[in-house]
Amino acid sequence: MLEAVDLSRSLRPRRYKRRRDELRRRLLDLQRACWNQDVGSLLVFEGWAFSGRGKVIDRLTRRLEPRGLVLHHVRAPRSGEDGLPWMWRFWNSLPRFGQMGIYYGSWYRRLLVGRSTGRVSEAAAERSFEDIESFETMLAADRYVVAKFFFHLDLHEQSARMAAAEADPLEEWKLDTDEWDRRVLDPHNLRLAEEMLSRTSFPATPWHLVAGNDRRWATIEVFERTIAALEAGLSRLGCELPEGAP
């Protein structure tokens, strides 16, 4: 799947800014429509280290109503969760109907970082595939819209961004996290990601593969995919769409 991503795509700054501003207005209108009609949404951001997920989330949410947003940065489970079903924390983190939940990292961490470190066995991973399918199928059948994004970039761009972060005192903290090295492009991690993407791109909750070499392109792609998902979800539920088009 990832080999089909065209990483050469890019946008000029002027065109990017004009399109970004148009999409921001449309997304705000859709957020309000979802809030007023009790339609929840989950935006899932997965991908490689330094692929630009955080910057795109910042641009996506900058003009949204903060009271209708819930942001989750998903890390390793806490020790107190060891005796609970592994999906427990995600069920409890679901946004209320009308809210938008944004997941920087998600339940897919178990199939990426967990398998890469060996903390999740292959038998447990197989059960997790089934758990995730049930979870997302139930959400999509209810009053939720689910949009999933996987950010891809090439090794040269990833290495350049890592070097820039290491040289910047305000950015070097990113290299101290407990999982960044498990999201580096290498054959082992690439195989795990390809399997995860192919097995969890369900009809109701498909993956959107984002070309992350150019941050402007990635930002517009996520805006457009998010808007399309919210419009389709509102229509599916028989809700009223706000006037206008992106």
Side-chain angles (χ1 to χ4, degrees):
M1 296 180 70
L2 292 174
E3 70 276 2
V5 179
D6 185 357
L7 296 175
S8 67
R9 307 299 293 269
S10 63
L11 277 177
R12 295 179 183 274
R14 182 177 296 179
R15 183 181 177 188
Y16 159 74
K17 290 179 181 178
R18 182 173 63 250
R19 184 63 173 154
R20 179 201 62 192
D21 291 345
E22 294 170 352
L23 295 170
R24 274 179 172 165
R25 288 191 292 271
R26 181 60 176 173
L27 185 58
L28 177 59
D29 288 342
L30 287 165
Q31 184 198 25
R32 288 169 173 166
C34 289
W35 177 269
N36 292 331
Q37 298 175 90
D38 290 330
V39 176
S41 57
L42 291 81
L43 308 184
V44 175
F45 291 83
E46 289 288 356
W48 306 113
F50 297 95
S51 58
R53 290 175 296 158
K55 291 186 183 298
V56 170
I57 290 172
D58 175 57
R59 294 168 179 174
L60 187 75
T61 59
R62 192 170 295 181
R63 295 293 184 269
L64 293 180
E65 168 56 69
R67 291 174 295 182
L69 282 176
V70 182
L71 177 63
H72 302 281
H73 183 190
V74 176
R75 306 290 294 275
R78 298 177 180 177
S79 58
E81 300 172 23
D82 289 343
L84 298 169
W86 78 275
M87 289 292 293
W88 175 87
R89 59 178 174 149
F90 300 114
W91 278 109
N92 280 276
S93 74
L94 288 177
R96 298 192 302 271
F97 288 145
Q99 284 188 320
M100 177 183 290
I102 295 180
Y103 291 81
Y104 181 87
S106 66
W107 40 98
Y108 287 103
R109 184 186 188 281
R110 184 174 176 88
L111 298 179
L112 290 170
V113 179
R115 292 177 79 191
S116 181
T117 59
R119 294 171 186 163
V120 176
S121 67
E122 287 305 303
E126 283 299 318
R127 293 191 296 271
S128 299
F129 277 114
E130 297 176 3
D131 293 339
I132 289 171
E133 182 174 10
S134 297
F135 178 62
E136 293 184 5
T137 299
M138 282 188 279
L139 293 177
D142 207 336
R143 297 186 68 82
Y144 282 107
V145 176
V146 182
K148 304 186 300 190
F149 302 98
F150 190 92
F151 282 61
H152 187 44
L153 77 173
D154 61 38
L155 184 58
H156 175 76
E157 181 65 21
Q158 185 182 54
S159 299
R161 293 181 185 181
M162 289 168 60
E166 189 173 20
D168 186 347
L170 298 179
E171 295 284 330
E172 62 180 352
W173 62 268
K174 295 179 179 179
L175 296 168
D176 293 332
T177 62
D178 64 349
E179 65 173 56
W180 74 267
D181 57 330
R182 300 299 174 176
R183 291 182 180 267
V184 172
L185 273 162
D186 66 26
H188 175 61
N189 291 336
L190 187 60
R191 179 185 64 80
L192 295 178
E194 287 278 8
E195 182 185 3
M196 181 202 77
L197 292 168
S198 65
R199 294 183 61 180
T200 60
S201 195
F202 310 118
T205 58
W207 281 104
H208 302 296
L209 306 181
V210 179
N213 272 24
D214 183 80
R215 290 192 175 100
R216 290 188 293 270
W217 177 271
T219 299
I220 297 304
E221 185 167 1
V222 170
F223 262 109
E224 291 178 342
R225 296 282 192 178
T226 300
I227 287 168
L230 292 175
E231 289 177 339
L234 286 167
S235 296
R236 172 177 58 85
L237 293 166
C239 296
E240 183 178 352
L241 284 170
E243 295 182 358

